[in-house]
Amino acid sequence: MAAKTKKVIVDSKKQFDAIKKQFETFQILNEKGEVVNEEAMPDLTDDQLKELMRRMVFTRVLDQRSISLNRQGRLGFYAPTAGQEASQIATHFALEKEDFVLPGYRDVPQLIWHGLPLYQAFLFSRGHFRGNQMPDDVNALSPQIIIGAQYIQTAGVALGLKKRGKKAVAITYTGDGGASQGDFYEGINFAGAYKAPAIFVVQNNRYAISTPVEKQSAAGTIAQKAVAAGIVGVQVDGMDPLAVYAATAEARERAINGEGPTLIETLTFRYGPHTMAGDDPTKYRTKEIENEWEQKDPLVRFRAFLENKGLWSEEEETKVIEDAKEEIKQAIKKADAEPKQKVTDLMKIMFEKMPHNLEEQFEIYTQKESK
Ligand SMILES: Cc1ncc(C[n+]2csc(CCOP(=O)(O)OP(=O)(O)O)c2C)c(N)n1
């Protein structure tokens, strides 16, 4: 039988308390849109503040329209984004065009703001290969479906940027569920060891489909997982666009100055279902929880902040909404006009040189399609 030690080697409470203190949630705007952290206010012009709001409103409209287009059978795969606009749009707002974006399936808005034409985003949703072909001037990969895999790819892309001497970063996104994957740990660890200019974002929307974050990990925060990788970690109020922007801008600065990657955990919530493929959130979360999070809404909060500064009005927002609806309408038309994809298209884009064992099948399909 093992003898009981007399000395307390680790005071577990002390250790956990110290970690908790280190990863307190960073916030600039409270739920009412009041500035509670003046010294952390990012240096954004009035026009930039308005542009950030415009992009978040556009993204909310896009979400609403995408959900109804999906219900009409006009879109395929769709993962709702409402509630997560600050986490998505304000992280992206801190980037430059030369930065690389490696999104997950819920991160189509960041791709659009990075330059992916909207009609191509709709084609992605329809499983059309054109939706996965980034234009040459858009530094991005198409959305990753394998949970966490983009974290490893980001470490590699970031290291590539560093080796080529580029002053640019690679940013990636996953959810709280993704932060339990092996790929997540491998990605942050590798990037840390090589001081690769990466920004790893975890949008902690509290559920991995129906699994609550409390069942995901015993760690008090996801941000603290950075410690084991020897990188900087920060937990941010993910419903506060200014805090999200400031934390990302600072992470970018560190990355391009050779100080290595940052793990950013944004505390957020998705109002809708996990995807449009039959998930029913009422089975795993209460109306009270949903109401509680809706009080924190990033658009409501940022609108109040801008209105107080005399920078936003109802008319302005109505115009953004109407313009967004029109843009979406035109993009759907353009997606509808795209030629249907053929089996031979898929085979052609998959291989630079067709493997000989597929050549026969390629011939068969070529003949079938010509009829
Ligand atoms: C490797 C892998 N395992 C399982 C799945 C199935 N799956 C799709 S989404 C999902 C939950 C992911 O949750 P989270 O990372 O929290 O992101 P969220 O969808 O909430 O944004 C799972 C398990 C998958 N796509 N890939």
Side-chain angles (χ1 to χ4, degrees):
M1 203 170 103
K4 217 174 162 218
T5 53
K6 290 196 191 103
K7 194 170 180 287
V8 176
I9 299 162
V10 179
D11 180 338
S12 54
K13 187 175 178 310
K14 210 167 147 193
Q15 191 173 74
F16 288 138
D17 283 351
I19 293 171
K20 203 169 167 195
K21 204 155 169 255
Q22 224 184 311
F23 290 94
E24 273 171 6
T25 315
F26 169 59
Q27 187 185 57
I28 293 179
L29 283 186
N30 68 13
E31 291 177 22
K32 292 191 209 134
E34 297 159 345
V35 177
V36 291
N37 191 348
E38 189 70 56
E39 62 174 340
M41 265 301 271
D43 216 3
L44 289 168
T45 64
D46 288 352
D47 282 348
Q48 286 172 319
L49 291 169
K50 290 176 73 167
E51 178 60 15
L52 179 52
M53 181 65 179
R54 192 180 77 77
R55 290 184 185 191
M56 291 204 300
V57 173
F58 180 99
T59 305
R60 180 70 59 92
V61 177
L62 177 62
D63 184 66
Q64 289 159 349
R65 292 296 302 134
S66 298
I67 289 172
S68 59
L69 287 163
N70 172 283
R71 289 192 175 128
Q72 293 162 26
R74 299 180 68 197
L75 276 189
F77 172 81
Y78 183 67
T81 58
Q84 298 189 206
E85 292 87 354
S87 297
Q88 299 185 317
I89 306 305
T91 44
H92 182 266
F93 207 64
L95 303 181
E96 298 293 335
K97 183 81 182 154
E98 64 267 25
D99 295 334
F100 271 79
V101 178
L102 288 88
Y105 47 82
R106 206 179 297 287
D107 305 310
V108 174
Q110 295 95 302
L111 277 185
I112 293 167
W113 292 113
H114 212 54
L116 178 71
L118 191 51
Y119 85 97
Q120 277 189 259
F122 289 144
L123 289 173
F124 159 76
S125 165
R126 291 175 177 178
H128 194 292
F129 72 92
R130 281 282 294 136
N132 284 314
Q133 288 180 326
M134 295 297 135
D136 286 345
D137 66 337
V138 177
N139 289 346
L141 265 62
S142 53
Q144 180 58 266
I145 307 290
I146 307 162
I147 308 296
Q150 64 274 35
Y151 263 54
I152 295 186
Q153 294 164 346
T154 299
V157 171
L159 185 59
L161 290 170
K162 183 176 175 173
K163 282 190 175 295
R164 286 173 196 185
K166 305 261 188 214
K167 286 272 172 218
V169 303
I171 190 168
T172 192
Y173 299 85
T174 191
D176 36 299
S180 302
Q181 290 289 102
D183 287 4
F184 167 89
Y185 294 100
E186 291 170 33
I188 63 172
N189 187 65
F190 183 92
Y194 287 88
K195 288 214 180 315
I199 302 176
F200 296 103
V201 181
V202 174
Q203 297 180 70
N204 177 357
N205 64 12
R206 311 208 62 77
Y207 299 90
I209 314 184
S210 57
T211 304
V213 65
E214 295 77 21
K215 285 265 173 341
Q216 200 62 247
S217 172
T221 67
I222 290 171
Q224 74 197 53
K225 296 186 181 206
V227 174
I231 68 173
V232 176
V234 57
Q235 187 186 64
V236 186
D237 178 346
M239 307 300 258
D240 170 358
L242 292 183
V244 171
Y245 172 84
T248 315
E250 194 179 89
R252 187 177 187 279
E253 242 350 81
R254 259 194 306 273
I256 59 173
N257 287 339
E259 293 171 55
T262 300
L263 174 64
I264 300 176
E265 174 189 10
T266 66
L267 296 181
T268 183
F269 200 76
R270 78 169 139 74
Y271 299 152
H274 169 69
T275 67
M276 296 304 291
D279 174 54
D280 176 5
T282 64
K283 295 266 197 298
Y284 55 86
R285 59 186 201 199
T286 62
K287 202 82 218 126
E288 286 73 43
I289 290 177
E290 293 183 355
N291 290 341
E292 191 190 305
W293 278 92
E294 276 169 25
Q295 302 303 312
K296 302 178 196 283
D297 189 82
L299 273 66
V300 171
R301 178 184 312 205
F302 204 43
R303 185 184 295 123
F305 168 75
L306 291 179
E307 278 175 354
N308 265 340
K309 286 172 79 76
L311 291 177
W312 200 251
S313 65
E314 207 178 314
E315 299 81 72
E316 221 156 335
E317 186 152 335
T318 307
K319 171 127 184 30
V320 176
I321 294 170
E322 291 315 313
D323 289 352
K325 284 183 182 164
E326 184 55 30
E327 201 178 324
I328 292 165
K329 197 167 132 192
Q330 296 308 327
I332 269 288
K333 258 196 203 160
K334 198 163 174 199
D336 289 344
E338 186 74 20
K340 266 190 144 177
Q341 72 184 348
K342 298 179 284 198
V343 174
T344 48
D345 287 331
L346 294 178
M347 294 171 89
K348 266 192 285 193
I349 59 155
M350 185 65 85
F351 305 102
E352 190 181 351
K353 187 176 175 344
M354 188 81 59
H356 66 87
N357 58 333
L358 289 183
E359 275 171 1
E360 196 184 331
Q361 288 182 43
F362 186 77
E363 275 314 308
I364 294 170
Y365 277 105
T366 306
Q367 281 171 23
K368 270 191 188 169
E369 288 164 0
S370 65
K371 278 177 196 158

